[in-house]
């Protein structure tokens, strides 16, 4: 991806993982707003569809914005 950040079809996409995101573990459930690494330099936010509430596996690398209190 050439831009550092863009919005496509309502999803945020980046060429590097934004700050504040942590790696999900095998077995975590995918939620709205989670980010998937599609390519080493291409990350996409996931906002809708069939993957919501399914379990992560080690096949794909998912991230979630870390909640700070």
């Amino acid at each position: 991806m050439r831009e550092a950040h863009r919005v496509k079809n309502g999803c945020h996409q980046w060429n590097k993982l934004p700050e504040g995101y942590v790696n999900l573990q095998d077995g975590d459930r995918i939620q709205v707003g989670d980010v998937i690494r599609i390519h080493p330099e291409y990350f996409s936010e996931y906002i809708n569809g069939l993957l919501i509430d399914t379990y992560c596996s080690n096949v794909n690398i998912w991230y979630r914005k870390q909640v700070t209190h």
Side-chain angles (χ1 to χ4, degrees):
M1 187 171 81
R2 293 183 181 166
E3 305 90 18
H5 173 259
R6 69 180 179 190
V7 178
K8 184 176 180 182
N9 299 326
C11 293
H12 292 273
Q13 299 174 344
W14 303 268
N15 62 8
K16 66 177 185 170
L17 187 65
E19 287 188 37
Y21 282 78
V22 294
N23 194 12
L24 294 179
Q25 301 300 311
D26 191 26
D28 286 344
R29 289 184 183 261
I30 298 167
Q31 299 175 4
V32 172
D34 287 350
V35 171
I36 187 171
R37 185 180 81 180
I38 297 173
H39 180 272
E41 296 179 2
Y42 183 55
F43 297 83
S44 182
E45 178 184 37
Y46 194 79
I47 59 171
N48 59 22
L50 298 175
L51 290 177
I52 300 291
D53 213 29
T54 58
Y55 293 102
C56 292
S57 68
N58 56 9
V59 176
N60 296 308
I61 299 174
W62 287 88
Y63 302 89
R64 181 171 296 147
K65 188 160 183 96
Q66 186 174 27
V67 178
T68 58
H69 298 280

